[in-house]
């Protein structure tokens, strides 16, 4: 449960939000609402069945939180623990080691439940219970050595936008570097100018030594401070190890090594922070898509500029050319081309007019729009995308889990090896303490698996944010990983390979009726029908400018499962399936309307016994031909006979064939699963280039095929990986069963956004090859980062005992170099762009075939 401060500062109203998991249907919501509204002072009750939450606005002078909770329980429903979520920005938390220290510090605090740290976004989210205020959480994080700030929205939550090179640590590091350089010049270049200042405990100290120790103080203080907090929080991390190394170097009369370690490690930390900021920038770019202010049109026609967060459902906002639409909504007035690429990734502007849906963050290219707000700022499509991209850090990939397990064993072992290297040779064989101390110090630096640990999460964030900018929303790193490892892609037909919208494809005039006349009569009869086929005919007639007059229509009747009947100009007409004309009119011997008297060959070549040209047998010649192409046949006629045939089909997406060919070129087996009939399935599969299809499948059968495909591609011990793409609603069971469920056209569709593993924000199949290409490259980058990190660490560790690798090499190559390397390699994923198929009109065309 979460409670907020007064929702409207100008009065005493408050809002209480409680979790009621068992309130999972409208009936439950009704009972809870009826029980709570008996209290005095209840201003508003909003039961949210899908999330199991109840939001109540109330006057605290007339009722209380406790009374509201009691009324909920009186209705028979339990309230889950009164916990709220607190989000804090912790900019300096930029690696798993930092996250570990913060988690250790928070675990000791009473009143805190689940803790979630996200180094890539510099954010900590904790579950707090009644009585735990934000200051307690901030203080706990401060005890780990990090500054934390509670944040109110996602825009504030991602790290710190201050350039890292302007930070206090950067200034201290620069001063330390200058001091070290002067000390090196005195000791190694100009020793005559390096006087001995004194002797302590039998050791002489030159001016250069003091300069090195000064560099340790200036550049190493943040390291020693963090090392102290690491020790305090029982964290064997790089700050602790480096602190031990620096202190030990100075104590063992190796101030130069200690100074170099302090300066170089500080530089490495700054570079790592800079690299992490680049990853965070991709998140900030998503957040910046939504404007900060909106222009509201008041009832009197005046305009007022307000923060986007203050918009309410039902407000009318004004948007002018070049401005971003501030909220999801519906166009009330005006028309314009809108750049929807921030949502769908499609660069071609979409034309919008009154009644059309628009999304926050999209850009008006021309014209003027008045938009009615349909969702609040934090519930807009772009807000959901940002929230889900941030949440993608929550579930670790299999490789990330492996890295964490490996690092938990690797680091202690190398630390033990470093101590052994520093102590055992001098003790056992009388070797040089100074030499083996430096070897141990080098191994201590190598022991930190920093680059190794960040190699996977920074790649995941880079890949997921890159995908989001191109209209593909990937819910988590494990789904990014799984898509690239999929062996087979199961594809739904309706709404996926096809547009999901019926349209007229063929018009055949019979017995002297022209195509226009056939369309006129069919559309007049169907105009009162609600059937999708009838609506497709009416829509096409309107597009073709066919003039219709409904005044002459009477006695309309819908014939369930067959078609419609209506009197047009006093004559009864029938429009429907060929079976509608059984016993009514002869369809086996009709004549095709000729074009200006020109004789047209019939499909069968004519009938010898008929003296007229253009003989057709609709049942055995026309109907089979159209159905073989996946089309539905509609016959138009009267009791005297048919006057025409219309073919209707769900059109294949223009980019479907290209997308399928690209997927197959990537080595992915594409299989179509559909509930449609065999003929239609075969026609669509042939058109788009799919070799394998399975038709007439009920939802259960689709599930069985998902399992069967997984078995076919699996080994002896595990199943293969199967991805499935569908419309996100009708195919929900199959999408949930597949290793990766991909939903089409999820923009503005909460169900698809919430249930799919991957959501293609626009109805654009070109994003499928892009998804698999990006995922495959991401998996390759992660593997490269992991093995390169391990290989470099191994080579450095092997060279340390022989003096080939020094502390400087360990820091510059093993820590600084590899951290930059894995981050830079991960950033390459931002360069993966969707391919655009040449010569394809995504709007489709409306050309209709005329059959000879």
């Amino acid at each position: 449960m979460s409670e907020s401060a007064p929702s409207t500062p100008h009065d005493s109203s408050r809002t209480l939000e409680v979790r009621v998991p068992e309130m999972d249907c409208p009936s439950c919501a009704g009972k809870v609402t009826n029980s709570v509204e008996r209290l005095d002072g209840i201003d508003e009750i909003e039961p949210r069945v899908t999330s199991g939450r109840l939001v109540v606005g109330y006057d605290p002078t007339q009722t209380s939180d406790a009374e509201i909770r009691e009324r909920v329980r009186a209705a028979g429903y339990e309230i889950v623990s009164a916990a709220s979520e607190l989000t804090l920005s912790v900019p300096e938390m930029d690696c798993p080691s930092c996250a570990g220290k913060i988690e250790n510090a928070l675990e000791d605090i009473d009143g805190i439940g689940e803790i979630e740290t996200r180094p890539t976004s510099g954010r900590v989210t904790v579950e707090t219970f009644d009585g735990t205020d934000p200051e307690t959480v901030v203080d706990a994080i401060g005890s780990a050595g990090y500054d934390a700030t509670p944040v109110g929205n996602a825009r504030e939550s991602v790290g710190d936008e201050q350039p890292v090179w302007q930070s206090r640590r950067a200034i201290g590091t620069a001063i330390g570097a200058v001091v070290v350089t002067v000390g090196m010049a005195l000791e190694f270049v100009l020793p005559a100018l390096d006087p001995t200042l004194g002797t302590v405990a039998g050791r002489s100290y030159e001016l250069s030594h003091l300069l090195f120790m000064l560099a340790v103080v200036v550049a190493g203080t943040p390291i020693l401070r963090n090392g102290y907090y690491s020790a305090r929080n029982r964290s064997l991390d790089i700050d602790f190890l480096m602190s031990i190394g620096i202190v030990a170097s100075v104590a063992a009369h190796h101030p130069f090594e200690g100074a170099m370690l302090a300066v170089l490690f500080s530089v490495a930390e700054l570079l790592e922070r800079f690299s992490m900021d680049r990853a965070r920038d991709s998140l900030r770019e998503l957040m910046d898509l939504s404007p900060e202010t909106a222009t509201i049109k008041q009832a009197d026609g005046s305009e007022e500029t307000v923060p986007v967060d203050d918009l309410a459902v039902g407000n009318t906002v004004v948007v002018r050319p070049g401005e971003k639409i501030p909220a999801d909504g519906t166009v009330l007035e005006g028309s314009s081309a809108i750049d929807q690429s921030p949502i769908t990734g499609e660069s071609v502007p979409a034309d919008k007019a009154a009644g059309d849906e628009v999304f926050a963050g999209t850009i008006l290219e021309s014209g003027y729009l008045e938009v009615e707000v349909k969702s609040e700022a934090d519930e807009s499509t772009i807000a959901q995308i940002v929230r889900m991209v941030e949440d993608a850090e929550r579930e670790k990939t299999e490789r990330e889990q492996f890295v964490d397990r490996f690092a938990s064993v690797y680091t202690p072992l190398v630390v033990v090896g470093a101590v052994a290297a520093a102590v055992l040779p001098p003790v056992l064989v009388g070797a040089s303490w100074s030499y083996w101390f430096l070897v141990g110090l080098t191994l201590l630096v190598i022991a930190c698996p920093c680059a190794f640990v960040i190699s996977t999460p920074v790649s995941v964030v880079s890949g997921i944010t890159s995908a989001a900018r191109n209209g593909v929303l990937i819910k988590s790193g494990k789904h990014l990983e799984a898509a690239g490892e999929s062996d087979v892609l199961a594809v739904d037909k309706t709404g996926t390979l096809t547009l999901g919208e019926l349209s007229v494809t063929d018009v055949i005039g019979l017995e002297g009726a022209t195509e226009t006349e056939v369309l006129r009569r069919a559309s007049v009869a169907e105009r009162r029908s609600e059937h999708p086929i009838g609506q497709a005919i009416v829509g096409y007639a309107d597009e073709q400018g066919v003039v219709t007059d409904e005044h002459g229509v009477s006695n309309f009747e819908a014939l369930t499962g067959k078609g419609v009947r209506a009197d047009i100009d006093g004559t009864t007409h029938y429009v429907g399936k060929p079976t509608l004309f059984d016993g009514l009119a002869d369809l086996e011997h009709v004549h095709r309307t000729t074009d200006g008297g020109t004789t047209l060959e019939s499909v069968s070549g004519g009938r010898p016994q008929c003296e007229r040209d253009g003989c057709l047998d609709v049942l055995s010649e026309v109907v089979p031909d159209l159905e073989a192409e996946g089309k539905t046949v509609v016959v138009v006629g009267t009791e005297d006979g048919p006057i025409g045939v219309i073919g209707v089909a769900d059109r294949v997406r223009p980019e479907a064939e290209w997308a399928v060919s690209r997927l197959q070129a990537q080595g992915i087996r594409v299989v179509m699963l559909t509930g449609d009939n065999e003929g239609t399935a075969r026609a669509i599969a042939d058109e788009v280039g799919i070799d394998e299809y399975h038709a007439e499948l009920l939802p259960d059968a689709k599930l069985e095929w998902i399992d069967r495909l997984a078995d076919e591609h699996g080994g002896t011990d595990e199943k293969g990986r199967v991805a499935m793409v569908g419309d996100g609603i009708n195919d929900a069971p199959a999408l949930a069963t597949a290793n990766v469920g991909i939903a089409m056209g999820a923009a503005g569709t909460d169900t698809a956004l919430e249930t799919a593993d991957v959501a293609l924000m626009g109805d654009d199949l070109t994003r499928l090859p892009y998804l698999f290409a990006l995922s495959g490259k991401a998996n390759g980058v992660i593997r490269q980062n992991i093995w390169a990190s391990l290989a470099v660490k191994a080579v450095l560790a092997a060279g340390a005992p022989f003096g080939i690798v020094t502390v400087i090499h360990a820091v510059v190559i093993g820590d600084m170099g590899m951290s930059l390397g894995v981050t830079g390699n991960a950033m390459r994923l931002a360069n993966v762009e969707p391919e655009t198929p040449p010569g394809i009109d995504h709007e489709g065309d409306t050309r209709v075939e005329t059959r000879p």
Side-chain angles (χ1 to χ4, degrees), residues 653-839:
R653 293 184 184 276
E655 73 276 14
E657 182 180 4
W658 179 89
V660 169
S661 68
R662 294 299 299 152
L663 289 166
Q664 292 169 338
Q666 293 176 21
I668 298 169
R669 175 186 173 191
V670 182
V671 179
M672 185 174 75
L673 305 180
T674 179
D676 217 330
N677 64 72
E678 178 75 18
T680 300
R682 180 174 58 252
I684 299 298
D686 288 343
E687 185 171 349
V688 301
I690 293 178
D691 298 324
E692 182 180 354
Y693 65 89
H694 303 282
E696 301 178 10
L697 300 179
L698 296 175
D700 289 346
K702 285 189 178 183
L703 293 181
E704 292 174 4
W705 266 106
I706 295 293
D707 288 332
R708 190 180 305 180
L709 292 171
D711 290 336
E712 290 178 9
H713 286 270
T716 54
D717 298 327
E718 61 179 16
K719 292 187 174 184
R721 294 181 181 270
V722 179
M724 180 172 182
V725 57
D727 59 19
I729 300 174
N730 298 331
D731 300 301
L735 290 172
T737 302
N739 297 96
V740 182
I742 306 168
M744 287 283 292
T749 309
D750 290 342
T751 302
L753 281 174
E754 292 172 3
T755 60
D757 301 323
V758 177
L760 308 184
M761 301 308 292
D763 280 334
D764 187 359
L765 286 176
T766 63
R767 292 306 185 264
L768 271 180
Y770 163 73
L771 166 64
F772 285 92
L774 175 68
S775 180
K777 186 167 185 177
N779 286 341
V781 165
I782 291 170
R783 285 193 294 268
Q784 292 164 11
N785 284 350
I786 290 174
W787 294 114
S789 300
L790 287 177
V792 169
K793 292 284 187 184
V795 170
L796 292 175
F802 302 101
I804 300 173
V805 176
T806 66
V807 171
I808 295 176
H809 295 114
V811 175
V812 173
I813 300 174
D815 183 60
M816 179 196 308
M818 284 312 301
S819 292
L820 286 174
V822 299
T823 305
N825 195 32
M827 292 297 102
R828 292 193 302 119
L829 296 175
N831 298 326
V832 181
E833 296 289 343
E835 292 184 65
T836 302

Side-chain angles (χ1 to χ4, degrees), residues 566-627:
D567 291 344
I568 302 175
D569 299 330
T571 303
T572 302
H573 284 68
Y574 299 84
V575 182
K577 294 180 177 179
T579 54
L580 176 61
F581 290 83
D582 288 348
L584 183 67
D586 181 16
L587 298 182
E588 296 181 356
H589 185 194
V590 297
H591 299 86
R592 170 72 182 260
T593 299
T594 59
D595 183 7
T598 303
T599 302
L600 300 178
E601 276 189 39
S602 70
V603 174
S604 62
R607 293 174 181 268
Q609 70 272 26
C610 181
E611 297 179 355
R612 294 179 58 187
D613 294 321
C615 290
L616 288 176
D617 183 337
V618 173
L619 295 180
S620 64
E621 297 168 359
V622 178
V623 172
D625 283 353
L626 291 174
E627 289 184 343

